[in-house]
Each structure stands twice: as structure tokens, then as C-alpha cells.
Amino acid sequence: MDYPYPIKIRAVWWENSQVCWIDTSKLPFEEKTYCTDEPERLARAIIAMEIRGAPAIGVAAALGVAAYAIKIASSNREEFINRIEDAIKTLWNTRPTAHNLFWALTRMRNTLRSTVKEGLNTNEIADRLREEAIRIMDEDIRSNIRMGEYGAELVPDNATILTHCNAGALATAAFGTAEGIMRVAWYKGKKIKVIATETRPVLQGARLTVWELMKEGIPVTLITDNMAGYVIRKGLVDLVIVGADRITREGYVINKIGTYMIALVAKRNNVPFYVAAPTSTIDLNSSIEDVVIEERDPNEVKKVLGKPITLEEAKALNYAFDITDPDLVTAIITERGIIKPPFPENLKRIVWRGGG
Ligand code: MRU
């Protein structure tokens, strides 16, 4: 497929009727790729964060359903339908916070049910599921590029952008949301610099954002998470751009743990705080009370890159995401345009109208 910018890194893709991915839990030390047509293997990959980032897990789940449908297309029709419904459930139960996973699986389930209603045979249904999954992947890349174009307008020349976690090519099918904006600004000749937080506990910033931006040639400087406040206060940051796992109808932004602290400091210091997210991350049906913040294994906190940093019997908490209030967000950059406050009205306008 043709895109207006180079696609240098893909996190998930379709190959030989299987879903394939680069194992982001091992980067940048090992560049391992895997492929599967087994929903259980894919579910384990999502839970273990071999595949992570809201759009990437949605795309991977959709491709995984399609791969499985092709694999089992010779089963009898009723068994085929039940097994695909089960595969969707397995993938649905992997991670609870990112909306894109449920959005993509709902699209796959709707495709399954409508093709069943049409009376198609198993091969035809599998074909339609493959087409839908590839469409979801392609839409993700195109959305990131469009988001990049809208967002790049907000980035002044010579700006220093602070980002948290990894909202890059490695968190999407390709190109990235926050990093997609950096890419477009860079390709348009803006001399940007990026400050990346390490993003404990599993270091998506240090391992993934730094790797990805260095590959692109964009200057990037790593800081520890607890430096963000001082670095912003000192005036070293012109704008913050982060991704999102879910945006509620009120405009609350759920993103990697630590985002809220950065948003507070940005507000206090009059630094714009932008959120880059496709409309598939916006859930107009969810209000903040409905959001489940994933709690992960405390051992991730008690270790760094597998090495213990505390006593084995020490207690630890491991919330994977936090909540940023709408009044801390300057704007939300989507593939349909830039959404400014008041978010409850403007989110609806963009998502329902389907245009900028
Ligand atoms: O736990 P992760 O690594 O899946 O968390 C990822 C994030 O919080 C990203 O910022 C978010 O998914 C947006 S990715 C474009």
C-alpha cells in the first residue's frame, strides 16, 4: 500500500495469512519477530506486552481473528462461527484499559455476524474477516499520518517536545500517534528535539521511543520519569505530546502511568499539553467511572529489566495507567482534526460527524 511518508518500522503486520509482530518486550536489545494464527498465542503476546500500545493491540487482535478464521475455514459452519466468537472473547480479555482493542474486536464481530446473516460459507466469511482486519491496519497507518499532519502545524520550528511512554510506530501498526506528529514535523524540515521519559516500570520510553527516534535521526534525550517536573519548570520544554489508551466522553485521558503528573506540571508552567489519538481511542459510551485501570504484576515494579531492585518480600503497586483531567489538556489531535475544549461537545461533534 502507498503512503505519503516512508514506513520504516512496523509493530504488527499480515504475512502468509498470519499476524506477525516485533517483540517490543525485548527491544532494543533483541529484534525478534513472531507470527501466529493461534488466538491463545496472540493473547499471551498482548498480555506479556510483546505487542503493546493501544492501536497496536487493536490491529493485532483484528489480524489474529482473521488468521484464525482462515486456519479453521474447513470446519463445519456452526463450529467455525462458535470458534471465532471464542477467539474474539479470548483476545477481548487480554488487557482492560485501551479502547482500541474493544473497538477493533467489535468491528470483527460485526463483520462475522453480518456475513453469517448473509448466508456466506466459511471460506467467504474468512475472506471478509481478512479484508476487514487489513482495512483496520491500513486505516490505523493512514490515521496516524493524518494526525501527524494536523499535529505538525502545532509544532514550532526548533521546538523541544517532551513525550512519555511510547506512542510511536511501535505502539501502532506503523508511524505512531505522538511520534507520528514528530515524524511529519521532521520530514517537513522542522528542527525539533525530543525529551523522552524512561517510563518505569517496563521502560517503553528508554527502550522503544529512544530506539525509534534514533532510527529516524530525530534528536532525542532520555530523562528519568522524576526529572520531568524540573525539566519543564526550567523552561526546557516547548510542548508535551503524549498518546492515549482511552478518552472518555467527558475528555478524561487515560494513558501510561505518570502522564497525569506531567500534565499537572505542564499546566502550572503554561506549557501546552497535547494528546494524539485516533478516534478509535475515543469512547463516547464510557464515562470516567466505567474505566478499568489495569493493575499488573508487582514484580514489574520490583525489577528493572528482570533484575531485582528491592527485597523479594517487598510489597509493590503496579497501576499501568492514570487519568488526566480534561482541564489539563490543551487539545486532542485526531485524524479528523484538532479537538479543543469544551471536550464533551467537541468530541461528540468530531466522532459522530466523522469529519474535521
Ligand atoms: O502499557 P502500554 O505500553 O501498552 O501503554 C501504552 C501507552 O500508554 C501509550 O501511550 C498509548 O497506548 C498510546 S499508543 C499510540
Side-chain angles (χ1 to χ4, degrees), residues 7 20 57 65 138 150 176 198 201 221 230 249 275 278 291 323 350:
I7 301 296
C20 301
I57 62 178
V65 171
D138 179 53
Y150 282 117
E198 59 178 349
T221 302
Y230 180 62
R249 61 170 173 256
V275 176
V291 175
I323 299 166
I350 287 252

Side-chain angles (χ1 to χ4, degrees), residues 49 52-55 95 165-167 171 177 204 244-245 255-256 321:
M49 292 170 70
R52 39 65 56 194
R95 295 191 76 188
C165 193
N166 174 264
T177 62
Q204 294 94 325
D245 285 80
N255 190 48
K256 180 52 52 191
F321 302 99

Side-chain angles (χ1 to χ4, degrees), residues 110-130:
N110 291 343
T111 303
L112 173 68
R113 292 183 183 171
S114 65
T115 48
V116 167
K117 251 199 199 144
E118 275 180 62
L120 301 190
N121 67 36
T122 55
N123 283 308
E124 291 165 334
I125 298 174
D127 241 20
R128 291 276 198 92
L129 288 169
R130 179 182 49 79

